[in-house]
Amino acid sequence: MSSAIGVDVGGTKIAAGVVDSSGLILESLKVPTPAQDPDLIVQTIADLARQLGASDSVERVGVCVAGFVDRSRSGVLFSPNLSWRGVRLREQLQEALGGEVVIENDANAAAWGEFRFGGGKEADDLLAVTVGTGVGGGLVLAGELLRGGFGVAAEIGHLGLVPGGELCGCGNRGCLEAYGSGTALVRATRFAAHKDPVAAKRLIERASGDIAAIDGPMITEQAQLGDEFAKTQLAELGAWLGLGIANIAAVVDPSLVLIGGGVSQAGELLLQPIRDSYLKALSASRHRPILDVKVAELGNDAGLVGVADLARNSIGE
Amino acid sequence: MSQRNAIGVDIGGTKILAATVDETGSVLEQIAVATPHSVELVQAAVVQSVRTLLTRHEAHDLGVAAAGLVDHHTGRVRFAPHISWRDEPIRDNLAHALRGDGITSVTLENDANAALCAEWRFGAARGRDHVLLVTVGTGIGGALMSSGQIMRGTNGMAGEFGHMQYAPDGRPCQCGLRGCWEQYASGRALSMQMQSGGELLTGQAILRAANDGDPEAQRAFFMVGQALGLGLADLIAALDPELILIGGGVSMAGELLLGPTRSAMSTRLVGGRHRRVADLDVVALGPAAGAIGAAELARGGAPSL
Ligand SMILES: [Zn+2]
Ligand SMILES: [Zn+2]
């Protein structure tokens, strides 16, 4: 039936697509993000939307960005990767496109996409975790996206797990993100490879002998080949994520956790350690049903698909 | 007179508080009895209290708030920490027992959820839609409201704030884990901070000592307030409420507790310069909040749940 345009503005690329009401992407475009120029980013978003038919055939546009989106869903308060501070994105885009535009945080949009069309269709209360450069979170509670009082809920990457622990990009110490992100995985793995190059032999070979060249996909692929060293690295990442998830479970009691982002391709090699650690850190785990931990289904498209649906549903709001 | 009173009963671990509450949230009369040990006696005590209240004020709606895991759809308490209820059909039992006394509807709700409803309708959370109630007593419990709705979670277990992992491999908790938040930021933690003399002091005694200028007692409130603030920063990261209400016995310490709480909270907040941050306040309704909220829920005036 009615389609909408979804745009996902990431730190390195902007993806845009026409999405139908069943969550199917009919057409899509992708360009690099001109990250240093905030105004050019806005122009680029508008251009992509126009190319996909905004303002003639498709009326609704949803845009999701990494960063804090204000409560009225009209501006971006703060986006570290896009050097945006207080950008009135909705107004600017509506002016450029002449139609309704909806703004959402990317992790929220991804959670909504999974809830509507992906791995979360059966759940009323779910947590979607995106493990990438950082750790993003989106919460759907009682079938509604949890936005919080000021629009910035579900920042689970910055739950404090280790008092006085590793420094996080946010300036605090000991955040989940400093231990449970893809970045943290690579850092910890390189460190462990330095300490025990014998155990890490295969992985180092895969990186052509250069420990500093070890990256996330190498670790996942090596683990999938059965390499114990690589498996241990993923298990440790999973243990941190499980701890953070247990804290969220104590607070909001979801029935499902979906893990997305590049590292989620490790599948059970990551999920099982998450489940084990979650169970260990969950209070009264014998007296309550245990939530499911699964891999997110929509992959990189979750944000785009989710925000297009939010734009379509915003009619009359 | 179209005034509609309702009766609210809060079944806690140590006492049962029953109150007749009018439409403005005012308590017309209240009765408190010690909580008996057996399931049958608890029920009998509730029935007796309601009958006593009914001799003075007419009411047809009864709301019951209970500590523990409450399934409000089926009206059962699945599990309670202090009473040996195991999947007890409290709502139907009470409806049956009190039918002859003019009670036509009975609702059952978790005590923290009921208290938050009361604060939302009549107390410190009026006009706010995204609210956390954090109850700091012996342990830490609470409830959360988003867009004016109580969030219960899939299993009705949302709001177990006290068992968030606060310090890896930290102090042992009654729940079997180590390092739970409530081991650092509750009344129990306050007593443990004071344990230098060997004997555990009550929260009230520590508060008195702190107000009398005892540096050890003041330090205990500082430590506990700080731990409270650090945990609240996590709750803000997860839920982004516009208002956090602190309730429970320890909240009586007011700024002695909340001062350190505020400063610790703000040091730990993510993106603090780029966002608005929840107000921190204490509850307004006191110990009867659970009963007032239960009565309001029974009357149907509280948010749709
Ligand atoms: Zn952080
Ligand atoms: Zn515990």
Side-chain angles (χ1 to χ4, degrees), chain A residues 125 148-152 154-155 158 160 172-173 175 247 250-251 253 255 280 289, chain B residues 144 146 153-157 159-160 165 175 177 234 237-238 240 267-268 270 276:
Chain A
D125 306 278
F150 306 114
V152 293
E155 286 289 332
H158 303 286
N172 281 325
R173 286 190 173 275
C175 294
N247 280 357
V251 170
D253 183 24
S255 61
K280 251 178 64 193
Chain B
L144 55 138
S146 168
T154 296
N155 308 298
M157 297 186 79
E160 290 285 334
Q165 296 297 288
C175 76
L177 300 178
D234 276 356
D240 181 34
T267 61
R268 196 41 259 180
V270 173
R276 281 184 58 201

PDB file of all heavy atoms in Angstrom, chain A residues 125 148-152 154-155 158 160 172-173 175 247 250-251 253 255 280 289, chain B residues 144 146 153-157 159-160 165 175 177 234 237-238 240 267-268 270 276:
ATOM      1  N   ASP A 125       7.631  -6.640  24.445  1.00  0.00           N
ATOM      2  CA  ASP A 125       8.672  -5.917  25.169  1.00  0.00           C
ATOM      3  C   ASP A 125      10.022  -6.438  24.704  1.00  0.00           C
ATOM      4  O   ASP A 125      10.342  -7.598  24.965  1.00  0.00           O
ATOM      5  CB  ASP A 125       8.556  -6.147  26.682  1.00  0.00           C
ATOM      6  CG  ASP A 125       7.172  -5.817  27.206  1.00  0.00           C
ATOM      7  OD1 ASP A 125       6.909  -4.640  27.441  1.00  0.00           O
ATOM      8  OD2 ASP A 125       6.352  -6.744  27.363  1.00  0.00           O
ATOM      9  N   GLY A 148      11.421   8.035  26.357  1.00  0.00           N
ATOM     10  CA  GLY A 148      11.816   8.714  27.581  1.00  0.00           C
ATOM     11  C   GLY A 148      11.267  10.120  27.652  1.00  0.00           C
ATOM     12  O   GLY A 148      10.589  10.598  26.742  1.00  0.00           O
ATOM     13  N   GLY A 149      11.566  10.779  28.762  1.00  0.00           N
ATOM     14  CA  GLY A 149      11.019  12.104  29.008  1.00  0.00           C
ATOM     15  C   GLY A 149      11.626  13.164  28.116  1.00  0.00           C
ATOM     16  O   GLY A 149      10.982  14.149  27.782  1.00  0.00           O
ATOM     17  N   PHE A 150      12.875  12.987  27.715  1.00  0.00           N
ATOM     18  CA  PHE A 150      13.542  13.996  26.903  1.00  0.00           C
ATOM     19  C   PHE A 150      14.050  13.431  25.583  1.00  0.00           C
ATOM     20  O   PHE A 150      14.878  14.026  24.911  1.00  0.00           O
ATOM     21  CB  PHE A 150      14.689  14.635  27.697  1.00  0.00           C
ATOM     22  CG  PHE A 150      14.238  15.163  29.018  1.00  0.00           C
ATOM     23  CD1 PHE A 150      14.696  14.599  30.192  1.00  0.00           C
ATOM     24  CD2 PHE A 150      13.320  16.195  29.084  1.00  0.00           C
ATOM     25  CE1 PHE A 150      14.260  15.068  31.420  1.00  0.00           C
ATOM     26  CE2 PHE A 150      12.885  16.670  30.301  1.00  0.00           C
ATOM     27  CZ  PHE A 150      13.348  16.110  31.480  1.00  0.00           C
ATOM     28  N   GLY A 151      13.592  12.246  25.239  1.00  0.00           N
ATOM     29  CA  GLY A 151      13.895  11.698  23.923  1.00  0.00           C
ATOM     30  C   GLY A 151      15.144  10.860  23.825  1.00  0.00           C
ATOM     31  O   GLY A 151      15.520  10.419  22.743  1.00  0.00           O
ATOM     32  N   VAL A 152      15.818  10.594  24.926  1.00  0.00           N
ATOM     33  CA  VAL A 152      17.115   9.923  24.813  1.00  0.00           C
ATOM     34  C   VAL A 152      17.206   8.653  25.666  1.00  0.00           C
ATOM     35  O   VAL A 152      18.225   8.386  26.299  1.00  0.00           O
ATOM     36  CB  VAL A 152      18.277  10.879  25.140  1.00  0.00           C
ATOM     37  CG1 VAL A 152      18.370  11.950  24.083  1.00  0.00           C
ATOM     38  CG2 VAL A 152      18.116  11.535  26.504  1.00  0.00           C
ATOM     39  N   ALA A 154      17.259   4.483  26.474  1.00  0.00           N
ATOM     40  CA  ALA A 154      17.907   3.267  25.963  1.00  0.00           C
ATOM     41  C   ALA A 154      19.343   3.487  25.504  1.00  0.00           C
ATOM     42  O   ALA A 154      19.824   2.825  24.598  1.00  0.00           O
ATOM     43  CB  ALA A 154      17.077   2.645  24.844  1.00  0.00           C
ATOM     44  N   GLU A 155      20.043   4.414  26.154  1.00  0.00           N
ATOM     45  CA  GLU A 155      21.470   4.592  25.870  1.00  0.00           C
ATOM     46  C   GLU A 155      22.249   3.535  26.651  1.00  0.00           C
ATOM     47  O   GLU A 155      23.037   3.850  27.545  1.00  0.00           O
ATOM     48  CB  GLU A 155      21.916   6.001  26.278  1.00  0.00           C
ATOM     49  CG  GLU A 155      21.440   7.080  25.346  1.00  0.00           C
ATOM     50  CD  GLU A 155      22.164   7.034  23.999  1.00  0.00           C
ATOM     51  OE1 GLU A 155      23.315   6.576  23.951  1.00  0.00           O
ATOM     52  OE2 GLU A 155      21.548   7.451  22.995  1.00  0.00           O
ATOM     53  N   HIS A 158      26.128   3.176  27.683  1.00  0.00           N
ATOM     54  CA  HIS A 158      26.782   3.950  28.739  1.00  0.00           C
ATOM     55  C   HIS A 158      26.305   3.566  30.129  1.00  0.00           C
ATOM     56  O   HIS A 158      26.465   4.336  31.076  1.00  0.00           O
ATOM     57  CB  HIS A 158      26.637   5.438  28.454  1.00  0.00           C
ATOM     58  CG  HIS A 158      27.204   5.775  27.105  1.00  0.00           C
ATOM     59  ND1 HIS A 158      28.549   5.813  26.862  1.00  0.00           N
ATOM     60  CD2 HIS A 158      26.592   5.989  25.914  1.00  0.00           C
ATOM     61  CE1 HIS A 158      28.753   6.072  25.575  1.00  0.00           C
ATOM     62  NE2 HIS A 158      27.577   6.181  24.984  1.00  0.00           N
ATOM     63  N   GLY A 160      27.019   2.016  33.469  1.00  0.00           N
ATOM     64  CA  GLY A 160      28.314   1.874  34.142  1.00  0.00           C
ATOM     65  C   GLY A 160      28.467   0.459  34.681  1.00  0.00           C
ATOM     66  O   GLY A 160      27.730   0.053  35.559  1.00  0.00           O
ATOM     67  N   ASN A 172      33.087   9.129  30.604  1.00  0.00           N
ATOM     68  CA  ASN A 172      33.008   8.357  31.844  1.00  0.00           C
ATOM     69  C   ASN A 172      33.937   7.155  31.783  1.00  0.00           C
ATOM     70  O   ASN A 172      34.482   6.835  30.734  1.00  0.00           O
ATOM     71  CB  ASN A 172      31.579   7.865  32.058  1.00  0.00           C
ATOM     72  CG  ASN A 172      30.683   8.948  32.603  1.00  0.00           C
ATOM     73  OD1 ASN A 172      31.125   9.778  33.393  1.00  0.00           O
ATOM     74  ND2 ASN A 172      29.441   8.941  32.183  1.00  0.00           N
ATOM     75  N   ARG A 173      34.052   6.491  32.903  1.00  0.00           N
ATOM     76  CA  ARG A 173      34.836   5.253  32.947  1.00  0.00           C
ATOM     77  C   ARG A 173      33.923   4.064  33.187  1.00  0.00           C
ATOM     78  O   ARG A 173      32.942   4.157  33.902  1.00  0.00           O
ATOM     79  CB  ARG A 173      35.868   5.328  34.071  1.00  0.00           C
ATOM     80  CG  ARG A 173      37.016   6.248  33.745  1.00  0.00           C
ATOM     81  CD  ARG A 173      38.157   6.141  34.736  1.00  0.00           C
ATOM     82  NE  ARG A 173      39.282   6.935  34.246  1.00  0.00           N
ATOM     83  CZ  ARG A 173      40.186   6.469  33.385  1.00  0.00           C
ATOM     84  NH1 ARG A 173      40.130   5.215  32.949  1.00  0.00           N
ATOM     85  NH2 ARG A 173      41.157   7.253  32.961  1.00  0.00           N
ATOM     86  N   CYS A 175      31.979   2.216  31.163  1.00  0.00           N
ATOM     87  CA  CYS A 175      30.720   2.007  30.440  1.00  0.00           C
ATOM     88  C   CYS A 175      30.724   0.668  29.704  1.00  0.00           C
ATOM     89  O   CYS A 175      31.773   0.178  29.288  1.00  0.00           O
ATOM     90  CB  CYS A 175      30.507   3.105  29.403  1.00  0.00           C
ATOM     91  SG  CYS A 175      30.263   4.740  30.077  1.00  0.00           S
ATOM     92  N   ASN A 247      21.115  -6.102  33.496  1.00  0.00           N
ATOM     93  CA  ASN A 247      20.707  -4.881  34.188  1.00  0.00           C
ATOM     94  C   ASN A 247      19.448  -4.284  33.572  1.00  0.00           C
ATOM     95  O   ASN A 247      18.548  -3.830  34.272  1.00  0.00           O
ATOM     96  CB  ASN A 247      21.841  -3.854  34.170  1.00  0.00           C
ATOM     97  CG  ASN A 247      22.874  -4.149  35.244  1.00  0.00           C
ATOM     98  OD1 ASN A 247      22.706  -5.081  36.030  1.00  0.00           O
ATOM     99  ND2 ASN A 247      23.927  -3.375  35.272  1.00  0.00           N
ATOM    100  N   ALA A 250      16.468  -6.426  34.586  1.00  0.00           N
ATOM    101  CA  ALA A 250      15.985  -6.158  35.944  1.00  0.00           C
ATOM    102  C   ALA A 250      15.073  -4.938  35.965  1.00  0.00           C
ATOM    103  O   ALA A 250      14.122  -4.859  36.723  1.00  0.00           O
ATOM    104  CB  ALA A 250      17.168  -5.936  36.884  1.00  0.00           C
ATOM    105  N   VAL A 251      15.340  -4.014  35.067  1.00  0.00           N
ATOM    106  CA  VAL A 251      14.622  -2.743  35.090  1.00  0.00           C
ATOM    107  C   VAL A 251      13.320  -2.791  34.291  1.00  0.00           C
ATOM    108  O   VAL A 251      12.287  -2.317  34.742  1.00  0.00           O
ATOM    109  CB  VAL A 251      15.544  -1.619  34.552  1.00  0.00           C
ATOM    110  CG1 VAL A 251      14.782  -0.337  34.338  1.00  0.00           C
ATOM    111  CG2 VAL A 251      16.687  -1.381  35.529  1.00  0.00           C
ATOM    112  N   ASP A 253      12.237  -5.784  32.201  1.00  0.00           N
ATOM    113  CA  ASP A 253      11.664  -7.119  32.016  1.00  0.00           C
ATOM    114  C   ASP A 253      11.162  -7.391  30.592  1.00  0.00           C
ATOM    115  O   ASP A 253       9.985  -7.656  30.389  1.00  0.00           O
ATOM    116  CB  ASP A 253      10.519  -7.299  33.038  1.00  0.00           C
ATOM    117  CG  ASP A 253       9.897  -8.688  32.988  1.00  0.00           C
ATOM    118  OD1 ASP A 253      10.565  -9.644  32.547  1.00  0.00           O
ATOM    119  OD2 ASP A 253       8.719  -8.802  33.390  1.00  0.00           O
ATOM    120  N   SER A 255      10.933  -9.647  26.985  1.00  0.00           N
ATOM    121  CA  SER A 255      10.919 -11.091  26.726  1.00  0.00           C
ATOM    122  C   SER A 255      11.957 -11.476  25.682  1.00  0.00           C
ATOM    123  O   SER A 255      12.224 -12.654  25.474  1.00  0.00           O
ATOM    124  CB  SER A 255       9.529 -11.527  26.254  1.00  0.00           C
ATOM    125  OG  SER A 255       9.204 -10.856  25.055  1.00  0.00           O
ATOM    126  N   LYS A 280      23.808 -15.556  34.848  1.00  0.00           N
ATOM    127  CA  LYS A 280      24.606 -15.434  36.062  1.00  0.00           C
ATOM    128  C   LYS A 280      24.346 -14.114  36.780  1.00  0.00           C
ATOM    129  O   LYS A 280      24.432 -14.030  37.992  1.00  0.00           O
ATOM    130  CB  LYS A 280      26.098 -15.514  35.711  1.00  0.00           C
ATOM    131  CG  LYS A 280      26.736 -16.801  36.165  1.00  0.00           C
ATOM    132  CD  LYS A 280      28.197 -16.868  35.769  1.00  0.00           C
ATOM    133  CE  LYS A 280      29.051 -15.812  36.421  1.00  0.00           C
ATOM    134  NZ  LYS A 280      30.380 -15.700  35.802  1.00  0.00           N
ATOM    135  N   PRO A 289      10.593 -16.523  33.977  1.00  0.00           N
ATOM    136  CA  PRO A 289      10.858 -17.019  32.633  1.00  0.00           C
ATOM    137  C   PRO A 289      12.086 -16.310  32.081  1.00  0.00           C
ATOM    138  O   PRO A 289      12.310 -15.143  32.361  1.00  0.00           O
ATOM    139  CB  PRO A 289       9.604 -16.608  31.857  1.00  0.00           C
ATOM    140  CG  PRO A 289       8.583 -16.238  32.884  1.00  0.00           C
ATOM    141  CD  PRO A 289       9.335 -15.785  34.081  1.00  0.00           C
TER     142      PRO A 289
ATOM    143  N   LEU B 144       7.976   2.063  37.040  1.00  0.00           N
ATOM    144  CA  LEU B 144       8.229   3.036  36.003  1.00  0.00           C
ATOM    145  C   LEU B 144       6.994   3.328  35.181  1.00  0.00           C
ATOM    146  O   LEU B 144       6.156   2.455  34.959  1.00  0.00           O
ATOM    147  CB  LEU B 144       9.380   2.606  35.086  1.00  0.00           C
ATOM    148  CG  LEU B 144       9.357   1.275  34.373  1.00  0.00           C
ATOM    149  CD1 LEU B 144       9.840   1.458  32.953  1.00  0.00           C
ATOM    150  CD2 LEU B 144      10.255   0.300  35.095  1.00  0.00           C
ATOM    151  N   SER B 146       5.783   5.282  31.576  1.00  0.00           N
ATOM    152  CA  SER B 146       6.192   5.893  30.318  1.00  0.00           C
ATOM    153  C   SER B 146       4.937   6.361  29.592  1.00  0.00           C
ATOM    154  O   SER B 146       3.967   5.606  29.477  1.00  0.00           O
ATOM    155  CB  SER B 146       6.948   4.856  29.476  1.00  0.00           C
ATOM    156  OG  SER B 146       7.117   5.324  28.158  1.00  0.00           O
ATOM    157  N   GLY B 153       6.487  -4.830  32.116  1.00  0.00           N
ATOM    158  CA  GLY B 153       7.362  -5.842  31.530  1.00  0.00           C
ATOM    159  C   GLY B 153       6.590  -7.093  31.172  1.00  0.00           C
ATOM    160  O   GLY B 153       5.414  -7.239  31.522  1.00  0.00           O
ATOM    161  N   THR B 154       7.251  -7.988  30.469  1.00  0.00           N
ATOM    162  CA  THR B 154       6.587  -9.185  29.960  1.00  0.00           C
ATOM    163  C   THR B 154       6.065 -10.082  31.081  1.00  0.00           C
ATOM    164  O   THR B 154       4.990 -10.645  30.974  1.00  0.00           O
ATOM    165  CB  THR B 154       7.572  -9.975  29.076  1.00  0.00           C
ATOM    166  OG1 THR B 154       7.887  -9.160  27.944  1.00  0.00           O
ATOM    167  CG2 THR B 154       6.948 -11.269  28.597  1.00  0.00           C
ATOM    168  N   ASN B 155       6.842 -10.194  32.158  1.00  0.00           N
ATOM    169  CA  ASN B 155       6.439 -11.085  33.244  1.00  0.00           C
ATOM    170  C   ASN B 155       5.959 -10.326  34.475  1.00  0.00           C
ATOM    171  O   ASN B 155       5.876 -10.885  35.556  1.00  0.00           O
ATOM    172  CB  ASN B 155       7.614 -11.975  33.644  1.00  0.00           C
ATOM    173  CG  ASN B 155       8.219 -12.666  32.446  1.00  0.00           C
ATOM    174  OD1 ASN B 155       7.546 -13.438  31.779  1.00  0.00           O
ATOM    175  ND2 ASN B 155       9.463 -12.354  32.149  1.00  0.00           N
ATOM    176  N   GLY B 156       5.693  -9.043  34.311  1.00  0.00           N
ATOM    177  CA  GLY B 156       5.283  -8.241  35.460  1.00  0.00           C
ATOM    178  C   GLY B 156       6.432  -7.968  36.412  1.00  0.00           C
ATOM    179  O   GLY B 156       6.217  -7.617  37.561  1.00  0.00           O
ATOM    180  N   MET B 157       7.668  -8.121  35.935  1.00  0.00           N
ATOM    181  CA  MET B 157       8.815  -7.998  36.834  1.00  0.00           C
ATOM    182  C   MET B 157       9.645  -6.752  36.597  1.00  0.00           C
ATOM    183  O   MET B 157      10.756  -6.640  37.110  1.00  0.00           O
ATOM    184  CB  MET B 157       9.705  -9.235  36.717  1.00  0.00           C
ATOM    185  CG  MET B 157       8.985 -10.486  37.142  1.00  0.00           C
ATOM    186  SD  MET B 157      10.062 -11.934  37.190  1.00  0.00           S
ATOM    187  CE  MET B 157      10.906 -11.671  38.727  1.00  0.00           C
ATOM    188  N   GLY B 159      11.029  -3.024  37.103  1.00  0.00           N
ATOM    189  CA  GLY B 159      11.178  -2.211  38.310  1.00  0.00           C
ATOM    190  C   GLY B 159      12.004  -2.852  39.412  1.00  0.00           C
ATOM    191  O   GLY B 159      12.052  -2.362  40.524  1.00  0.00           O
ATOM    192  N   GLU B 160      12.670  -3.958  39.108  1.00  0.00           N
ATOM    193  CA  GLU B 160      13.550  -4.602  40.100  1.00  0.00           C
ATOM    194  C   GLU B 160      14.891  -3.877  40.122  1.00  0.00           C
ATOM    195  O   GLU B 160      15.944  -4.474  39.881  1.00  0.00           O
ATOM    196  CB  GLU B 160      13.756  -6.077  39.745  1.00  0.00           C
ATOM    197  CG  GLU B 160      12.537  -6.939  39.940  1.00  0.00           C
ATOM    198  CD  GLU B 160      12.271  -7.224  41.409  1.00  0.00           C
ATOM    199  OE1 GLU B 160      13.228  -7.192  42.198  1.00  0.00           O
ATOM    200  OE2 GLU B 160      11.111  -7.448  41.755  1.00  0.00           O
ATOM    201  N   GLN B 165      23.302  -4.892  38.588  1.00  0.00           N
ATOM    202  CA  GLN B 165      24.671  -5.166  39.012  1.00  0.00           C
ATOM    203  C   GLN B 165      25.423  -3.851  39.111  1.00  0.00           C
ATOM    204  O   GLN B 165      25.611  -3.163  38.118  1.00  0.00           O
ATOM    205  CB  GLN B 165      25.350  -6.095  38.011  1.00  0.00           C
ATOM    206  CG  GLN B 165      24.699  -7.453  37.962  1.00  0.00           C
ATOM    207  CD  GLN B 165      24.809  -8.158  39.295  1.00  0.00           C
ATOM    208  OE1 GLN B 165      25.869  -8.592  39.678  1.00  0.00           O
ATOM    209  NE2 GLN B 165      23.698  -8.231  40.030  1.00  0.00           N
ATOM    210  N   CYS B 175      19.608 -12.064  47.241  1.00  0.00           N
ATOM    211  CA  CYS B 175      19.083 -12.736  46.052  1.00  0.00           C
ATOM    212  C   CYS B 175      20.044 -13.805  45.530  1.00  0.00           C
ATOM    213  O   CYS B 175      19.733 -14.534  44.611  1.00  0.00           O
ATOM    214  CB  CYS B 175      18.788 -11.726  44.954  1.00  0.00           C
ATOM    215  SG  CYS B 175      20.265 -11.129  44.108  1.00  0.00           S
ATOM    216  N   LEU B 177      23.100 -13.155  44.280  1.00  0.00           N
ATOM    217  CA  LEU B 177      24.143 -12.558  43.447  1.00  0.00           C
ATOM    218  C   LEU B 177      25.110 -11.747  44.311  1.00  0.00           C
ATOM    219  O   LEU B 177      24.926 -11.625  45.519  1.00  0.00           O
ATOM    220  CB  LEU B 177      23.521 -11.644  42.390  1.00  0.00           C
ATOM    221  CG  LEU B 177      22.538 -12.282  41.412  1.00  0.00           C
ATOM    222  CD1 LEU B 177      21.981 -11.219  40.480  1.00  0.00           C
ATOM    223  CD2 LEU B 177      23.198 -13.391  40.604  1.00  0.00           C
ATOM    224  N   ASP B 234      22.521   5.269  35.711  1.00  0.00           N
ATOM    225  CA  ASP B 234      22.255   4.131  34.826  1.00  0.00           C
ATOM    226  C   ASP B 234      20.782   4.056  34.448  1.00  0.00           C
ATOM    227  O   ASP B 234      20.427   3.778  33.302  1.00  0.00           O
ATOM    228  CB  ASP B 234      22.653   2.813  35.510  1.00  0.00           C
ATOM    229  CG  ASP B 234      24.133   2.517  35.337  1.00  0.00           C
ATOM    230  OD1 ASP B 234      24.813   3.289  34.630  1.00  0.00           O
ATOM    231  OD2 ASP B 234      24.604   1.525  35.900  1.00  0.00           O
ATOM    232  N   ALA B 237      20.210   6.601  31.865  1.00  0.00           N
ATOM    233  CA  ALA B 237      20.714   6.159  30.557  1.00  0.00           C
ATOM    234  C   ALA B 237      19.738   5.179  29.914  1.00  0.00           C
ATOM    235  O   ALA B 237      19.494   5.211  28.717  1.00  0.00           O
ATOM    236  CB  ALA B 237      22.089   5.515  30.709  1.00  0.00           C
ATOM    237  N   ALA B 238      19.156   4.309  30.719  1.00  0.00           N
ATOM    238  CA  ALA B 238      18.261   3.290  30.166  1.00  0.00           C
ATOM    239  C   ALA B 238      16.883   3.840  29.856  1.00  0.00           C
ATOM    240  O   ALA B 238      16.280   3.482  28.848  1.00  0.00           O
ATOM    241  CB  ALA B 238      18.140   2.113  31.144  1.00  0.00           C
ATOM    242  N   ASP B 240      15.604   7.392  30.647  1.00  0.00           N
ATOM    243  CA  ASP B 240      15.412   8.816  30.411  1.00  0.00           C
ATOM    244  C   ASP B 240      14.096   9.364  30.962  1.00  0.00           C
ATOM    245  O   ASP B 240      13.299   9.932  30.220  1.00  0.00           O
ATOM    246  CB  ASP B 240      15.517   9.088  28.889  1.00  0.00           C
ATOM    247  CG  ASP B 240      15.353  10.556  28.542  1.00  0.00           C
ATOM    248  OD1 ASP B 240      15.782  11.400  29.345  1.00  0.00           O
ATOM    249  OD2 ASP B 240      14.785  10.843  27.473  1.00  0.00           O
ATOM    250  N   THR B 267      27.798  13.611  37.794  1.00  0.00           N
ATOM    251  CA  THR B 267      29.135  13.281  37.290  1.00  0.00           C
ATOM    252  C   THR B 267      29.086  12.090  36.338  1.00  0.00           C
ATOM    253  O   THR B 267      29.964  11.910  35.511  1.00  0.00           O
ATOM    254  CB  THR B 267      30.119  12.905  38.421  1.00  0.00           C
ATOM    255  OG1 THR B 267      29.610  11.753  39.098  1.00  0.00           O
ATOM    256  CG2 THR B 267      30.304  14.027  39.398  1.00  0.00           C
ATOM    257  N   ARG B 268      28.074  11.261  36.446  1.00  0.00           N
ATOM    258  CA  ARG B 268      28.043   9.997  35.712  1.00  0.00           C
ATOM    259  C   ARG B 268      27.144  10.088  34.475  1.00  0.00           C
ATOM    260  O   ARG B 268      27.056   9.156  33.702  1.00  0.00           O
ATOM    261  CB  ARG B 268      27.522   9.001  36.697  1.00  0.00           C
ATOM    262  CG  ARG B 268      27.564   7.528  36.659  1.00  0.00           C
ATOM    263  CD  ARG B 268      28.678   6.706  36.238  1.00  0.00           C
ATOM    264  NE  ARG B 268      28.499   6.220  34.902  1.00  0.00           N
ATOM    265  CZ  ARG B 268      29.360   5.459  34.288  1.00  0.00           C
ATOM    266  NH1 ARG B 268      30.442   5.076  34.883  1.00  0.00           N
ATOM    267  NH2 ARG B 268      29.141   5.063  33.081  1.00  0.00           N
ATOM    268  N   VAL B 270      25.627  10.655  30.935  1.00  0.00           N
ATOM    269  CA  VAL B 270      26.184  10.683  29.592  1.00  0.00           C
ATOM    270  C   VAL B 270      25.598  11.839  28.792  1.00  0.00           C
ATOM    271  O   VAL B 270      24.391  12.038  28.780  1.00  0.00           O
ATOM    272  CB  VAL B 270      25.874   9.364  28.878  1.00  0.00           C
ATOM    273  CG1 VAL B 270      26.306   9.446  27.434  1.00  0.00           C
ATOM    274  CG2 VAL B 270      26.574   8.241  29.595  1.00  0.00           C
ATOM    275  N   ARG B 276      18.455  17.452  28.535  1.00  0.00           N
ATOM    276  CA  ARG B 276      17.824  17.789  29.797  1.00  0.00           C
ATOM    277  C   ARG B 276      17.834  16.546  30.664  1.00  0.00           C
ATOM    278  O   ARG B 276      17.751  15.433  30.177  1.00  0.00           O
ATOM    279  CB  ARG B 276      16.400  18.266  29.575  1.00  0.00           C
ATOM    280  CG  ARG B 276      16.347  19.709  29.119  1.00  0.00           C
ATOM    281  CD  ARG B 276      14.920  20.180  29.014  1.00  0.00           C
ATOM    282  NE  ARG B 276      14.209  20.063  30.278  1.00  0.00           N
ATOM    283  CZ  ARG B 276      12.876  20.017  30.358  1.00  0.00           C
ATOM    284  NH1 ARG B 276      12.147  20.053  29.273  1.00  0.00           N
ATOM    285  NH2 ARG B 276      12.288  19.929  31.527  1.00  0.00           N
TER     286      ARG B 276
END
